[in-house]
Amino acid sequence: MRPTKLTEVLSQLNQTELKKFRKFINSPYFHQHKDTITFFEALAKYHPDYHEDKVTSEKIYEAVYPGQAYDDGKVRTLRKYLHKLLNTFLSLESFLEAPHEVEKHQINTYLEKGLTKYVPKGFDTQRDILSKQLLLGPSKYLELFVLEDKILQFRVEHEDRWENTAVLKPMEHLDHFFILEKLMYACSLHTYGSIFKNVPTDLFLIQDITEYCEQHFDSLPSIIQAYTLSLKLVSGRAEEKDLEILQKIVKEGNDQFEIKDLINFYVIIVNYCSFTYRRGNTEALSKMFEVYKDMITYGILKETQKGLLYHFKNLVTLGLKLKEYQWTETFIEDWIKAIPEENQTDIYHFSRANLFTHTGEYTKALKELQEATFIDPFYRIGYYTLLFKIHFEQNEEEALLALVNTYRAYLRRRSGLTEERKLPYKEFIRLGKEVFQAKQDHTSGGNGQLNHIQQEIQEAKSLVDMEWLLEKLDMIP
């Protein structure tokens, strides 16, 4: 049988889910078409591998209609019926896993049937479920708003007396939902805007919202506090104390925040540390390293999915810069399988090349690097940086000067990247070339203006690998 949406979805069911689906389609309440059940059983024998080499439409048809001539129209009809049942089953399973949704629909049914005396208790049950089971986040506040709004409408229609302040409850939840959504989008846009050009960051009402959140900070839910501080970090308005407070809130909220929000907070903290490091704060490396270790400890790193591609590179680079060579080698071997399969080989070789470069094994590093090819711009930039260091250490002047031109041309072609993002690498190329020429000049008798170069490096506003450059400059006799 050729691959279809039905077989693709069906193949993702585990054995427990498959058994439940079998009970579902055999229930006369949901289904009474026996041929569809037989069709399912014929398919299920091959679960979860429905590859067309093993499962042909003719073979399945014979199992359903033995001895009859093959009819493709009937197969398509059975496939359509079974697919519809599968979608209904998956939707129902998802619905039953959300008790607040079940309670919400039960309340609506009571209201439709005129069973109003049972409704208040249903409201209390739903409020309790939402308060205890849903994690802090926009979805929770939106659900609470919908609930409190329905409670308010019910009281207006069915109670003679109710306090005027009751209207404040739904409004508070709606405000929290709106504020959170605005802050989240603002953080995302500022993050993208720091990398790519022409990203709008001036959202409607965002200034009023941030001012309100900063003025009423202590009275706000912790999730809003965290996004308020996050926006200060990504927009360049933060002080050191803001970072410390955000880290404290995030650590305390590990079991209260949704995973997507935890990822946002940790990534923003990492990016801020990287930002301050590029501006000369060398202590930011250790802080960033500890943040990443927390992400591993709390299971956040493995949830970053596509982002793991970049965090993997950051962690390897951090470990090596901090001379945690054994830790880094173990990390590479343990975590490479977590990378998307299509990227594993390139990133593995690149990471090992990085390790060998830091341990002074340049021949091994170059060999590993030759095994890697990259499309992603930040890995390509890292590739050129490593190659520069290898040529530098091996005194390969012609190769290094050729690479300088290639590296600069590559950055120039990356028109989508902001100049702020390119600057640290441009400065590395410029100052790295000066250090190399000073090294060559000094070897042949010139002084190389070492003091002047050292001052340039130390005063650079944005520069990667400052310590490496200073170390190489200091090694010139």
Side-chain angles (χ1 to χ4, degrees), residues 77-224:
T77 300
L78 292 173
R79 194 162 56 220
K80 181 181 73 174
Y81 287 165
L82 187 60
H83 190 197
K84 185 177 180 181
L85 283 168
L86 180 57
N87 285 340
T88 303
F89 168 75
L90 293 173
S91 298
L92 183 59
E93 284 291 290
S94 178
F95 175 74
L96 293 175
E97 288 177 1
H100 64 282
E101 289 290 343
V102 176
E103 194 64 37
K104 182 198 299 184
H105 284 77
Q106 183 174 306
I107 290 169
N108 289 340
T109 301
Y110 285 156
L111 288 170
E112 290 170 5
K113 302 294 184 184
L115 303 170
T116 55
K117 64 180 179 180
Y118 300 113
V119 171
K121 183 173 176 57
F123 283 145
D124 290 340
T125 301
Q126 191 181 1
R127 184 188 284 127
D128 187 58
I129 291 171
L130 287 172
S131 298
K132 291 180 179 179
Q133 294 193 3
L134 281 191
L135 298 171
L136 289 177
S139 56
K140 177 168 186 169
Y141 292 116
L142 182 59
E143 290 289 349
L144 284 169
F145 162 70
V146 171
L147 171 62
E148 295 296 346
D149 182 60
K150 187 175 286 290
I151 291 173
L152 180 61
Q153 292 179 37
F154 179 83
R155 296 182 71 181
V156 170
E157 293 173 7
H158 296 91
E159 296 180 10
D160 294 330
R161 299 179 62 185
W162 53 278
E163 64 273 17
N164 293 335
T165 55
V167 73
L168 297 178
K169 284 186 178 181
M171 289 304 299
E172 181 182 53
H173 295 311
L174 183 60
D175 287 342
H176 287 166
F177 168 76
F178 178 74
I179 288 171
L180 261 180
E181 287 289 323
K182 279 288 187 177
L183 290 174
M184 289 167 64
Y185 272 98
C187 285
S188 296
L189 291 174
H190 273 283
T191 299
Y192 293 136
S194 69
I195 304 172
F196 304 108
K197 293 180 179 179
N198 304 319
V199 178
T201 56
D202 188 21
L203 295 179
F204 178 63
L205 291 179
I206 194 62
Q207 186 173 346
D208 294 332
I209 289 171
T210 52
E211 287 177 1
Y212 172 84
C213 290
E214 289 173 18
Q215 290 170 7
H216 300 83
F217 187 84
D218 292 337
S219 63
L220 293 171
S222 59
I223 185 79
I224 295 181

Side-chain angles (χ1 to χ4, degrees), residues 241-294:
K241 67 176 183 179
D242 295 320
L243 177 62
E244 294 172 1
I245 296 171
L246 177 58
Q247 286 183 286
K248 184 174 184 293
I249 292 172
V250 172
K251 276 196 174 184
E252 292 175 351
N254 263 315
D255 58 348
Q256 301 174 35
F257 301 154
E258 294 182 20
I259 189 66
K260 64 181 181 64
D261 294 312
L262 285 171
I263 291 172
N264 285 343
F265 298 141
Y266 277 108
V267 170
I268 285 170
I269 291 169
V270 164
N271 288 344
Y272 182 76
C273 290
S274 178
F275 171 82
T276 58
Y277 165 70
R278 293 197 302 269
R279 277 157 177 71
N281 180 9
T282 55
E283 293 181 0
L285 283 183
S286 297
K287 187 170 290 188
M288 201 187 328
F289 194 47
E290 292 307 314
V291 172
Y292 267 127
K293 283 184 175 180
D294 284 344

Side-chain angles (χ1 to χ4, degrees), residues 336-351:
I336 191 63
K337 293 297 183 184
I339 296 290
E341 189 173 352
E342 64 271 20
N343 304 113
Q344 284 179 17
T345 300
D346 283 344
I347 291 178
Y348 181 72
H349 288 300
F350 174 84
S351 301

Side-chain angles (χ1 to χ4, degrees), residues 310-357:
Y310 312 112
H311 299 309
F312 188 96
K313 177 178 178 290
N314 287 346
L315 259 167
V316 170
T317 302
L318 279 170
L320 295 175
K321 284 183 176 179
L322 295 170
K323 303 187 186 305
E324 297 276 356
Y325 300 137
Q326 186 58 56
W327 185 95
T328 304
E329 186 172 9
T330 302
F331 173 80
I332 293 170
E333 299 298 332
D334 289 350
W335 278 80
I336 191 63
K337 293 297 183 184
I339 296 290
E341 189 173 352
E342 64 271 20
N343 304 113
Q344 284 179 17
T345 300
D346 283 344
I347 291 178
Y348 181 72
H349 288 300
F350 174 84
S351 301
R352 284 175 59 80
N354 203 353
L355 173 63
F356 289 138
T357 300

